[in-house]
């Protein structure tokens, strides 16, 4: 059972829940689009990060969009996924060594963008899971 009813708008299930506040929905959607179009991070890497966090979150709705493909990850994607997983699970345990490893493959701007994206995806998965989105939605 969903904690919040769907808004009657022509969007996906996540957006019908977030759509209770149209301004937040609009900004949320634009922020997601901006991560893929206005950052210096590779879109394919961002999608692998989203998929990895979806698997970790246990959110059936989030997982339904696809499983991660770790066999296809390059070193940058591997380090980025590991960092964002730690960000989502234990942000207080991110070490100087974690940051240094990222610094070997990403610029400071990219590290900031990666941290923002990981936080955004984690928030999205938390929102979906708390409000009861399932694989069938």
């Amino acid at each position: 059972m969903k904690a919040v009813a769907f808004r009657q708008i022509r969007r996906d299930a996540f957006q019908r829940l977030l759509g209770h506040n149209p301004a937040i929905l609009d900004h949320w959607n634009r922020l997601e689009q901006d991560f893929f179009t206005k950052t210096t991070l590779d879109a394919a890497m961002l999608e692998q990060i989203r998929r990895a966090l979806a698997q970790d979150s246990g959110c059936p709705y989030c997982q339904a969009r696809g499983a991660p493909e770790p066999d296809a990850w390059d070193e940058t994607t591997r380090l980025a996924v590991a960092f964002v997983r730690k960000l989502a699970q234990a942000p207080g345990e991110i070490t100087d060594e974690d940051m240094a490893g990222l610094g070997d493959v990403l610029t400071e701007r990219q590290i900031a963008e990666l941290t923002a994206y990981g936080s955004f995806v984690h928030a999205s998965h938390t929102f979906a899971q708390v409000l009861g989105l399932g694989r069938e939605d």
Side-chain angles (χ1 to χ4, degrees):
M1 179 174 186
K2 298 206 181 19
V4 176
F6 285 134
R7 287 275 311 196
Q8 297 304 310
I9 57 177
R10 290 180 177 227
R11 304 280 180 105
D12 69 25
F14 182 92
Q15 293 176 351
R16 288 184 303 194
L17 288 176
L18 195 57
H20 282 278
N21 185 316
I24 291 175
L25 173 60
D26 181 55
H27 289 291
W28 196 277
N29 287 338
R30 281 192 281 152
L31 180 56
E32 181 178 31
Q33 181 179 5
D34 287 350
F35 280 117
F36 284 88
T37 61
K38 296 183 180 178
T39 68
T40 57
L41 299 171
D42 179 71
M45 180 178 75
L46 294 177
E47 177 59 18
Q48 288 302 306
I49 289 167
R50 187 206 61 73
R51 290 175 178 210
L53 287 183
Q55 295 305 308
D56 295 350
S57 75
C59 172
Y61 178 80
C62 308
Q63 293 170 347
R65 290 178 55 194
E69 300 165 337
D71 291 341
W73 295 352
D74 61 11
E75 182 67 7
T76 301
T77 301
R78 189 187 64 71
L79 288 169
V81 169
F83 171 77
V84 173
R85 280 180 157 156
K86 198 171 201 180
L87 177 151
Q89 296 168 1
E93 295 178 16
I94 293 173
T95 65
D96 290 342
E97 290 79 21
D98 295 325
M99 300 308 288
L102 284 178
D104 290 342
V105 296
L106 298 174
T107 66
E108 288 183 348
R109 175 181 175 164
Q110 289 173 319
I111 293 169
E113 291 170 349
L114 176 65
T115 303
Y117 181 70
S119 300
F120 176 78
V121 171
H122 179 61
S124 297
H125 294 168
T126 301
F127 177 85
Q129 196 166 18
V130 167
L131 294 183
L133 284 180
R135 190 171 291 276
E136 68 282 353
D137 290 313

